[in-house]
Amino acid sequence: MTRLTAPFLDDPALKQVLAALSAEGAQALIVGGAVRNALLGEPVADVDISTSAPPAEAIRLAEAAGLRTVPTGIEHGTVTVIADGRGFEVTSFRRDVETFGRRAVVAYSNRIEDDAHRRDFTMNALYATGSGEVLDPVGGLPDLAARRLRFVGDPRARIAEDYLRILRFFRLLAWYGREAELHALAACRELREGLTGISRERIGHEIRKLLDAPDPSRAVALMAEAGVLPLVLPGADAGDLPELVEIEQEFGTGALPRWPRRLALLAPRDAAGALRLSREEARVQDHIAAALALPAPAAAYRLGRAAAAQSVLIRAARGDRPAFGWCHELARGAEAKFPLTARDLMPELSGPALGEALRRAEDAFVASDFTLPREALLRIALQQEARA
Ligand code: ATP
Ligand code: MG
């Protein structure tokens, strides 16, 4: 029998929830990513719970133990149980009855086997009791040990139930896989058009996570080969991704987030639309793209140090290695202060002419590598305007 050791098993709040749900004989188990990651020795973000008690019963059991519940996803059998101020997602064992693309009609079940069979991959269908005993209804343990990403059941049938699973396949492959099963890959290729019916929000969620993997380059190359990449990110070019990952390791990336840099390298035609990026995320993409066209200090001055640093890494991946001391150069650009304000040019100038003059002076300031003093800049602003 496989046993799990993980700090979360000692979490009193989790123990409280499991005890409440199993007080009258129902099964209450930890499931999915938490079990998978704990077995791999990877960090665990959140602990999901699966129970043989149907939702109404789970709510009754939790409340009988004095725990508050919130029906966060009650239509698909999920309630959030609050213990010690933290929420645990509790999903009742389910069995897929009928599926029309994404919309699965589900029935509750008291059999763990049913619940395991509606999950996507064998390594995601592992369960653990509160004392760490691992339950493996579909043979996920050997797959996990070999880092083999295998669909539960026939890949074609499982993809046809929910085309998002194509992207989950590549995402989990990037994070936890070593081997890609050939017939699973073939199924992804064959059924890829189904992704056009999946919402861009869900696609965006998976792609962000995929590109956040330590090294997503092989998974992304396989996606390109399978014809999946151009469907979700039209115009994306994954050619330099392995070089980018190497450069990241060589240079170090500090606190810079991963996926925005990888996405900017892929340079799809309309990332913001394709992935439903937030306004802020889209702005970051625009800034990195603009920074790619400027010398590093100017990029840091105009677009911020982070966007400039991301662009330096991308350019290095494309073979344009930065000069020694580039970090210092970025800091210099980011900290440079343009010494003029609109007030300095008033009342001589006003309206659009004022804006234009300021812009010219600032361009000259940046072109001088931030060295032109105030007087020279004033002269440029006023002279140029007089000539115009
Ligand atoms: P992480 O949260 O670390 O990204 P996870 O495995 O917990 O990974 P979630 O998206 O949180 O992933 O899903 C939790 C579990 O629900 C999965 O482990 C899997 O068992 C199941 N699951 C999620 N999405 C699907 C899906 N589209 N089809 C089938 N099962 C799914
Ligand atoms: Mg999860």
Side-chain angles (χ1 to χ4, degrees):
M1 188 189 64
T2 303
R3 283 206 96 80
L4 191 71
T5 51
F8 63 72
L9 290 174
D10 298 322
D11 173 1
L14 174 65
K15 286 186 182 197
Q16 217 183 341
V17 177
L18 294 176
L21 294 168
S22 55
E24 296 179 20
Q27 269 183 305
L29 302 164
I30 302 152
V31 67
V35 181
R36 177 197 67 217
N37 285 19
L39 287 168
L40 288 172
E42 299 267 351
V44 169
D46 45 28
V47 177
D48 295 322
I49 296 170
S50 185
T51 178
S52 62
E57 190 62 8
I59 292 172
R60 188 185 65 77
L61 288 163
E63 291 184 347
L67 300 172
R68 206 159 63 79
T69 64
V70 187
T72 42
I74 197 75
E75 66 288 347
H76 46 262
T78 302
V79 297
T80 298
V81 178
I82 318 281
D84 198 18
R86 283 180 296 136
F88 292 87
E89 280 204 354
V90 175
T91 306
S92 300
F93 286 173
R94 293 175 356 183
R95 171 166 61 90
D96 285 337
V97 178
E98 229 179 310
T99 46
F100 304 98
R102 168 66 187 158
R103 253 153 307 218
V105 178
V106 298
Y108 298 112
S109 164
N110 58 9
R111 299 181 61 240
I112 189 177
E113 290 77 14
D114 288 334
D115 191 72
H117 277 96
R118 63 125 186 133
R119 293 185 182 270
D120 46 10
F121 304 103
T122 59
M123 65 168 68
N124 283 350
L126 294 166
Y127 301 73
T129 65
S131 55
E133 182 190 336
V134 175
L135 307 180
D136 179 15
V138 293
L141 280 172
D143 290 335
L144 188 70
R147 289 184 173 258
R148 189 185 312 121
L149 189 62
R150 192 160 64 84
F151 278 95
V152 176
D154 173 53
R156 274 187 195 79
R158 301 311 311 284
I159 291 171
E161 286 168 9
D162 178 1
Y163 290 98
L164 187 74
R165 289 175 186 157
I166 294 174
L167 296 187
R168 291 181 57 86
F169 178 80
F170 291 107
R171 191 253 282 188
L172 288 151
L173 186 69
W175 275 94
Y176 310 112
R178 186 178 302 139
E179 278 180 52
E181 272 209 319
L182 288 180
H183 73 290
L185 263 178
C188 289
R189 161 188 279 282
E190 188 182 315
L191 299 175
R192 64 186 183 276
E193 292 290 339
L195 277 169
T196 55
I198 297 292
S199 80
R200 291 167 179 216
E201 283 80 4
R202 298 182 77 211
I203 290 177
H205 178 80
E206 288 299 325
I207 297 291
R208 285 182 187 82
K209 281 189 158 182
L210 164 74
L211 295 179
D212 250 344
D215 182 358
S217 57
R218 202 178 55 98
V220 173
L222 288 170
M223 267 173 91
E225 260 173 61
V228 170
L229 188 65
L231 270 179
V232 289
L233 286 175
D237 179 352
D240 293 328
L241 196 51
E243 285 76 11
L244 179 60
V245 173
E246 262 175 47
I247 288 289
E248 290 171 2
Q249 284 159 3
E250 184 185 337
F251 289 20
T253 56
L256 295 170
R258 286 177 184 151
W259 72 260
R261 173 174 64 246
R262 277 92 175 261
L263 182 61
L265 174 95
L266 297 178
R269 271 194 289 284
D270 173 23
L275 306 179
R276 281 274 193 278
L277 298 185
S278 73
R279 209 177 267 247
E280 171 60 17
E281 290 168 341
R283 195 185 60 87
V284 167
Q285 288 300 305
D286 290 345
H287 280 193
I288 299 174
L292 283 167
L294 296 174
Y301 173 80
R302 292 193 185 274
L303 302 155
R305 193 164 171 169
Q310 299 284 44
S311 76
V312 168
L313 294 165
I314 293 171
R315 282 213 297 239
R318 292 178 177 156
D320 177 11
R321 292 180 72 91
F324 186 75
W326 62 277
C327 270
H328 177 74
E329 288 293 280
L330 287 185
R332 208 164 54 74
E335 284 153 21
K337 288 268 174 298
F338 180 52
L340 295 192
T341 67
R343 208 175 282 259
D344 296 318
L345 304 181
M346 295 191 302
E348 289 87 337
L349 297 174
S350 64
L354 171 58
E356 183 59 23
L358 263 183
R359 216 167 305 132
R360 282 184 202 166
E362 191 174 20
D363 287 347
F365 176 65
V366 175
S368 75
D369 207 24
F370 320 109
T371 58
L372 279 179
R374 198 183 136 75
E375 295 66 36
L377 292 169
L378 264 178
R379 228 175 298 123
I380 289 170
L382 295 168
Q383 272 174 6
Q384 292 239 355
E385 202 45 45
R387 230 182 284 139

mmCIF file of all heavy atoms in Angstrom, residues 49-80:
data_model
loop_
_atom_site.group_PDB
_atom_site.id
_atom_site.type_symbol
_atom_site.label_atom_id
_atom_site.label_comp_id
_atom_site.label_asym_id
_atom_site.label_seq_id
_atom_site.Cartn_x
_atom_site.Cartn_y
_atom_site.Cartn_z
ATOM 1 N N ILE A 49 -11.384 17.981 -1.916
ATOM 2 C CA ILE A 49 -11.938 16.818 -1.226
ATOM 3 C C ILE A 49 -13.038 16.204 -2.076
ATOM 4 O O ILE A 49 -13.777 16.912 -2.773
ATOM 5 C CB ILE A 49 -12.490 17.245 0.157
ATOM 6 C CG1 ILE A 49 -11.322 17.752 1.019
ATOM 7 C CG2 ILE A 49 -13.218 16.092 0.848
ATOM 8 C CD1 ILE A 49 -11.754 18.415 2.304
ATOM 9 N N SER A 50 -13.117 14.893 -2.024
ATOM 10 C CA SER A 50 -14.109 14.140 -2.771
ATOM 11 C C SER A 50 -14.834 13.247 -1.779
ATOM 12 O O SER A 50 -14.215 12.673 -0.886
ATOM 13 C CB SER A 50 -13.335 13.304 -3.805
ATOM 14 O OG SER A 50 -14.192 12.625 -4.655
ATOM 15 N N THR A 51 -16.156 13.174 -1.929
ATOM 16 C CA THR A 51 -16.892 12.391 -0.920
ATOM 17 C C THR A 51 -18.004 11.554 -1.533
ATOM 18 O O THR A 51 -18.577 11.929 -2.562
ATOM 19 C CB THR A 51 -17.505 13.328 0.158
ATOM 20 O OG1 THR A 51 -18.248 12.539 1.089
ATOM 21 C CG2 THR A 51 -18.445 14.352 -0.453
ATOM 22 N N SER A 52 -18.270 10.428 -0.893
ATOM 23 C CA SER A 52 -19.369 9.581 -1.358
ATOM 24 C C SER A 52 -20.721 10.155 -0.937
ATOM 25 O O SER A 52 -21.761 9.725 -1.424
ATOM 26 C CB SER A 52 -19.219 8.153 -0.796
ATOM 27 O OG SER A 52 -19.272 8.179 0.617
ATOM 28 N N ALA A 53 -20.726 11.141 -0.049
ATOM 29 C CA ALA A 53 -21.998 11.763 0.355
ATOM 30 C C ALA A 53 -22.477 12.694 -0.746
ATOM 31 O O ALA A 53 -21.702 13.511 -1.233
ATOM 32 C CB ALA A 53 -21.800 12.547 1.649
ATOM 33 N N PRO A 54 -23.739 12.588 -1.157
ATOM 34 C CA PRO A 54 -24.247 13.560 -2.143
ATOM 35 C C PRO A 54 -24.264 14.961 -1.529
ATOM 36 O O PRO A 54 -24.205 15.105 -0.309
ATOM 37 C CB PRO A 54 -25.658 13.056 -2.462
ATOM 38 C CG PRO A 54 -25.943 11.927 -1.539
ATOM 39 C CD PRO A 54 -24.713 11.579 -0.779
ATOM 40 N N PRO A 55 -24.358 16.014 -2.377
ATOM 41 C CA PRO A 55 -24.174 17.379 -1.886
ATOM 42 C C PRO A 55 -25.039 17.762 -0.679
ATOM 43 O O PRO A 55 -24.533 18.315 0.294
ATOM 44 C CB PRO A 55 -24.519 18.237 -3.103
ATOM 45 C CG PRO A 55 -24.272 17.356 -4.266
ATOM 46 C CD PRO A 55 -24.553 15.969 -3.831
ATOM 47 N N ALA A 56 -26.331 17.443 -0.725
ATOM 48 C CA ALA A 56 -27.200 17.858 0.381
ATOM 49 C C ALA A 56 -26.750 17.190 1.676
ATOM 50 O O ALA A 56 -26.753 17.802 2.754
ATOM 51 C CB ALA A 56 -28.652 17.478 0.070
ATOM 52 N N GLU A 57 -26.315 15.957 1.540
ATOM 53 C CA GLU A 57 -25.828 15.189 2.684
ATOM 54 C C GLU A 57 -24.504 15.781 3.203
ATOM 55 O O GLU A 57 -24.303 15.908 4.408
ATOM 56 C CB GLU A 57 -25.624 13.731 2.204
ATOM 57 C CG GLU A 57 -25.352 12.717 3.266
ATOM 58 C CD GLU A 57 -26.489 12.556 4.274
ATOM 59 O OE1 GLU A 57 -27.586 13.132 4.073
ATOM 60 O OE2 GLU A 57 -26.244 11.876 5.275
ATOM 61 N N ALA A 58 -23.630 16.161 2.265
ATOM 62 C CA ALA A 58 -22.341 16.757 2.656
ATOM 63 C C ALA A 58 -22.573 18.058 3.427
ATOM 64 O O ALA A 58 -21.929 18.309 4.451
ATOM 65 C CB ALA A 58 -21.482 17.010 1.419
ATOM 66 N N ILE A 59 -23.535 18.845 2.976
ATOM 67 C CA ILE A 59 -23.853 20.103 3.662
ATOM 68 C C ILE A 59 -24.373 19.806 5.072
ATOM 69 O O ILE A 59 -23.941 20.406 6.054
ATOM 70 C CB ILE A 59 -24.901 20.914 2.853
ATOM 71 C CG1 ILE A 59 -24.271 21.413 1.545
ATOM 72 C CG2 ILE A 59 -25.459 22.077 3.670
ATOM 73 C CD1 ILE A 59 -25.251 22.066 0.581
ATOM 74 N N ARG A 60 -25.277 18.828 5.147
ATOM 75 C CA ARG A 60 -25.843 18.481 6.459
ATOM 76 C C ARG A 60 -24.738 18.019 7.422
ATOM 77 O O ARG A 60 -24.664 18.463 8.562
ATOM 78 C CB ARG A 60 -26.900 17.379 6.307
ATOM 79 C CG ARG A 60 -27.682 17.087 7.588
ATOM 80 C CD ARG A 60 -28.640 15.913 7.440
ATOM 81 N NE ARG A 60 -27.978 14.626 7.213
ATOM 82 C CZ ARG A 60 -27.370 13.909 8.152
ATOM 83 N NH1 ARG A 60 -27.311 14.350 9.395
ATOM 84 N NH2 ARG A 60 -26.810 12.739 7.845
ATOM 85 N N LEU A 61 -23.841 17.156 6.921
ATOM 86 C CA LEU A 61 -22.777 16.614 7.785
ATOM 87 C C LEU A 61 -21.830 17.716 8.253
ATOM 88 O O LEU A 61 -21.439 17.766 9.415
ATOM 89 C CB LEU A 61 -21.998 15.528 7.040
ATOM 90 C CG LEU A 61 -22.754 14.196 6.837
ATOM 91 C CD1 LEU A 61 -22.091 13.348 5.750
ATOM 92 C CD2 LEU A 61 -22.828 13.422 8.154
ATOM 93 N N ALA A 62 -21.464 18.610 7.326
ATOM 94 C CA ALA A 62 -20.533 19.687 7.688
ATOM 95 C C ALA A 62 -21.170 20.604 8.724
ATOM 96 O O ALA A 62 -20.547 20.963 9.729
ATOM 97 C CB ALA A 62 -20.136 20.468 6.443
ATOM 98 N N GLU A 63 -22.450 20.940 8.488
ATOM 99 C CA GLU A 63 -23.105 21.877 9.408
ATOM 100 C C GLU A 63 -23.376 21.236 10.766
ATOM 101 O O GLU A 63 -23.319 21.915 11.797
ATOM 102 C CB GLU A 63 -24.357 22.473 8.751
ATOM 103 C CG GLU A 63 -23.902 23.389 7.612
ATOM 104 C CD GLU A 63 -25.013 24.159 6.895
ATOM 105 O OE1 GLU A 63 -26.199 23.819 7.094
ATOM 106 O OE2 GLU A 63 -24.661 25.084 6.127
ATOM 107 N N ALA A 64 -23.626 19.933 10.747
ATOM 108 C CA ALA A 64 -23.813 19.228 12.025
ATOM 109 C C ALA A 64 -22.544 19.300 12.867
ATOM 110 O O ALA A 64 -22.592 19.237 14.093
ATOM 111 C CB ALA A 64 -24.205 17.768 11.766
ATOM 112 N N ALA A 65 -21.388 19.438 12.193
ATOM 113 C CA ALA A 65 -20.123 19.539 12.935
ATOM 114 C C ALA A 65 -19.764 20.999 13.214
ATOM 115 O O ALA A 65 -18.652 21.303 13.639
ATOM 116 C CB ALA A 65 -19.005 18.856 12.135
ATOM 117 N N GLY A 66 -20.706 21.898 12.932
ATOM 118 C CA GLY A 66 -20.473 23.311 13.233
ATOM 119 C C GLY A 66 -19.676 24.050 12.170
ATOM 120 O O GLY A 66 -19.158 25.140 12.427
ATOM 121 N N LEU A 67 -19.559 23.471 10.958
ATOM 122 C CA LEU A 67 -18.797 24.138 9.894
ATOM 123 C C LEU A 67 -19.754 24.845 8.941
ATOM 124 O O LEU A 67 -20.837 24.348 8.652
ATOM 125 C CB LEU A 67 -17.957 23.102 9.120
ATOM 126 C CG LEU A 67 -16.942 22.333 9.964
ATOM 127 C CD1 LEU A 67 -16.305 21.205 9.149
ATOM 128 C CD2 LEU A 67 -15.865 23.277 10.489
ATOM 129 N N ARG A 68 -19.326 26.008 8.453
ATOM 130 C CA ARG A 68 -20.152 26.767 7.536
ATOM 131 C C ARG A 68 -19.943 26.220 6.124
ATOM 132 O O ARG A 68 -18.858 25.772 5.770
ATOM 133 C CB ARG A 68 -19.729 28.234 7.583
ATOM 134 C CG ARG A 68 -20.820 29.218 7.194
ATOM 135 C CD ARG A 68 -20.495 30.611 7.749
ATOM 136 N NE ARG A 68 -19.262 31.148 7.179
ATOM 137 C CZ ARG A 68 -19.200 31.696 5.956
ATOM 138 N NH1 ARG A 68 -20.270 31.738 5.182
ATOM 139 N NH2 ARG A 68 -18.058 32.191 5.514
ATOM 140 N N THR A 69 -20.993 26.253 5.301
ATOM 141 C CA THR A 69 -20.855 25.787 3.920
ATOM 142 C C THR A 69 -21.351 26.865 2.963
ATOM 143 O O THR A 69 -22.215 27.650 3.305
ATOM 144 C CB THR A 69 -21.686 24.502 3.666
ATOM 145 O OG1 THR A 69 -23.077 24.825 3.834
ATOM 146 C CG2 THR A 69 -21.303 23.387 4.606
ATOM 147 N N VAL A 70 -20.751 26.886 1.770
ATOM 148 C CA VAL A 70 -21.176 27.810 0.717
ATOM 149 C C VAL A 70 -21.377 26.979 -0.549
ATOM 150 O O VAL A 70 -20.471 26.251 -0.955
ATOM 151 C CB VAL A 70 -20.094 28.896 0.460
ATOM 152 C CG1 VAL A 70 -20.615 29.953 -0.501
ATOM 153 C CG2 VAL A 70 -19.629 29.535 1.765
ATOM 154 N N PRO A 71 -22.568 27.074 -1.160
ATOM 155 C CA PRO A 71 -22.840 26.230 -2.335
ATOM 156 C C PRO A 71 -22.187 26.807 -3.594
ATOM 157 O O PRO A 71 -22.846 27.232 -4.516
ATOM 158 C CB PRO A 71 -24.366 26.252 -2.433
ATOM 159 C CG PRO A 71 -24.766 27.558 -1.821
ATOM 160 C CD PRO A 71 -23.722 27.892 -0.787
ATOM 161 N N THR A 72 -20.848 26.784 -3.649
ATOM 162 C CA THR A 72 -20.111 27.480 -4.714
ATOM 163 C C THR A 72 -20.318 26.880 -6.097
ATOM 164 O O THR A 72 -20.219 27.575 -7.097
ATOM 165 C CB THR A 72 -18.605 27.491 -4.402
ATOM 166 O OG1 THR A 72 -18.246 26.208 -3.900
ATOM 167 C CG2 THR A 72 -18.269 28.563 -3.387
ATOM 168 N N GLY A 73 -20.534 25.574 -6.170
ATOM 169 C CA GLY A 73 -20.698 24.954 -7.493
ATOM 170 C C GLY A 73 -21.708 23.833 -7.392
ATOM 171 O O GLY A 73 -21.521 22.750 -7.944
ATOM 172 N N ILE A 74 -22.781 24.157 -6.693
ATOM 173 C CA ILE A 74 -23.732 23.112 -6.314
ATOM 174 C C ILE A 74 -24.292 22.381 -7.536
ATOM 175 O O ILE A 74 -24.555 21.180 -7.488
ATOM 176 C CB ILE A 74 -24.858 23.702 -5.405
ATOM 177 C CG1 ILE A 74 -25.608 22.602 -4.672
ATOM 178 C CG2 ILE A 74 -25.793 24.611 -6.160
ATOM 179 C CD1 ILE A 74 -24.835 21.992 -3.527
ATOM 180 N N GLU A 75 -24.390 23.091 -8.697
ATOM 181 C CA GLU A 75 -24.964 22.433 -9.886
ATOM 182 C C GLU A 75 -24.072 21.299 -10.400
ATOM 183 O O GLU A 75 -24.562 20.385 -11.034
ATOM 184 C CB GLU A 75 -25.304 23.453 -10.978
ATOM 185 C CG GLU A 75 -24.156 24.198 -11.623
ATOM 186 C CD GLU A 75 -23.488 25.249 -10.711
ATOM 187 O OE1 GLU A 75 -24.047 25.587 -9.651
ATOM 188 O OE2 GLU A 75 -22.374 25.694 -11.059
ATOM 189 N N HIS A 76 -22.763 21.360 -10.118
ATOM 190 C CA HIS A 76 -21.962 20.179 -10.453
ATOM 191 C C HIS A 76 -21.440 19.470 -9.203
ATOM 192 O O HIS A 76 -20.417 18.792 -9.223
ATOM 193 C CB HIS A 76 -20.854 20.475 -11.475
ATOM 194 C CG HIS A 76 -20.066 21.709 -11.170
ATOM 195 N ND1 HIS A 76 -20.335 22.916 -11.776
ATOM 196 C CD2 HIS A 76 -19.047 21.924 -10.321
ATOM 197 C CE1 HIS A 76 -19.490 23.825 -11.299
ATOM 198 N NE2 HIS A 76 -18.706 23.252 -10.424
ATOM 199 N N GLY A 77 -22.160 19.654 -8.110
ATOM 200 C CA GLY A 77 -21.886 18.827 -6.931
ATOM 201 C C GLY A 77 -20.771 19.315 -6.029
ATOM 202 O O GLY A 77 -20.209 18.527 -5.269
ATOM 203 N N THR A 78 -20.442 20.616 -6.111
ATOM 204 C CA THR A 78 -19.355 21.127 -5.273
ATOM 205 C C THR A 78 -19.886 22.101 -4.228
ATOM 206 O O THR A 78 -20.632 23.022 -4.555
ATOM 207 C CB THR A 78 -18.303 21.853 -6.136
ATOM 208 O OG1 THR A 78 -17.821 20.944 -7.111
ATOM 209 C CG2 THR A 78 -17.130 22.342 -5.290
ATOM 210 N N VAL A 79 -19.517 21.883 -2.977
ATOM 211 C CA VAL A 79 -19.790 22.873 -1.946
ATOM 212 C C VAL A 79 -18.457 23.231 -1.304
ATOM 213 O O VAL A 79 -17.532 22.416 -1.269
ATOM 214 C CB VAL A 79 -20.758 22.354 -0.847
ATOM 215 C CG1 VAL A 79 -22.114 22.023 -1.425
ATOM 216 C CG2 VAL A 79 -20.173 21.159 -0.127
ATOM 217 N N THR A 80 -18.365 24.470 -0.846
ATOM 218 C CA THR A 80 -17.156 24.871 -0.136
ATOM 219 C C THR A 80 -17.449 24.800 1.354
ATOM 220 O O THR A 80 -18.442 25.347 1.818
ATOM 221 C CB THR A 80 -16.729 26.290 -0.548
ATOM 222 O OG1 THR A 80 -16.435 26.267 -1.948
ATOM 223 C CG2 THR A 80 -15.485 26.742 0.204
#
